[in-house]
């Protein structure tokens, strides 16, 4: 019996700090799944209250399309600073059967 391959995504967002800040978030997330290839979605220089998050929109679309089984982010605030933004991500995850993991929660 073949085991289904897990499709893991990493989402990183910064309001400031440049590519180094994004790379640090991605490295932290990758450490949770060392031997698993990941697809990385990055929104750089996007404030948390901004709803125009192109990479997050692409990630949500991929989740809805069944292309992603698991998403790892540093913490909930990466998805947005408002409860409605975070709830939107959680709703898409629930409806698509996608697991959400946070670096701050550990392995």
């Amino acid at each position: 019996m073949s085991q289904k391959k897990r499709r893991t995504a990493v989402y990183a967002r910064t309001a400031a700090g440049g590519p180094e800040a994004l790379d640090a978030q991605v490295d932290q997330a990758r450490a949770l799944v060392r031997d698993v290839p990941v697809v990385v979605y990055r929104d750089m220089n996007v404030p948390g209250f901004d709803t125009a998050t192109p990479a997050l929109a692409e990630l949500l679309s991929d989740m809805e399309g069944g292309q992603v089984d698991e998403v790892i982010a540093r913490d909930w605030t990466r998805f947005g600073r408002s409860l409605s933004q975070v709830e939107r991500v959680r709703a898409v995850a629930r409806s698509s059967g996608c697991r959400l993991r946070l670096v701050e929660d550990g392995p």
Side-chain angles (χ1 to χ4, degrees):
M1 183 186 278
S2 68
Q3 187 175 12
K4 182 180 175 195
K5 204 176 221 184
R6 186 170 67 185
R7 296 159 297 183
T8 300
V10 170
Y11 179 68
R13 182 194 56 77
T14 63
E20 298 83 15
L22 284 174
D23 289 345
Q25 289 180 42
V26 171
D27 290 346
Q28 291 171 340
R30 283 182 190 223
L32 293 179
V33 288
R34 294 185 196 282
D35 298 325
V36 176
V38 299
V39 177
V40 178
Y41 298 79
R42 301 169 188 252
D43 279 316
M44 187 166 64
N45 298 326
V46 178
F49 287 107
D50 195 339
T51 57
T53 51
L56 181 58
E58 181 182 0
L59 172 59
L60 293 173
S61 176
D62 288 351
M63 290 164 65
E64 290 172 327
Q67 298 171 25
V68 174
D69 299 314
E70 176 179 52
V71 176
I72 304 171
R74 187 184 76 198
D75 56 51
W76 288 115
T77 66
R78 297 306 88 203
F79 298 117
R81 294 288 180 161
S82 75
L83 182 59
S84 64
Q85 290 170 304
V86 172
E87 267 310 307
R88 179 178 63 136
V89 173
R90 292 180 62 171
V92 170
R94 273 191 303 274
S95 68
S96 64
C98 187
R99 177 182 182 200
L100 294 176
R101 291 178 67 186
L102 303 178
V103 170
E104 68 180 12
D105 291 342

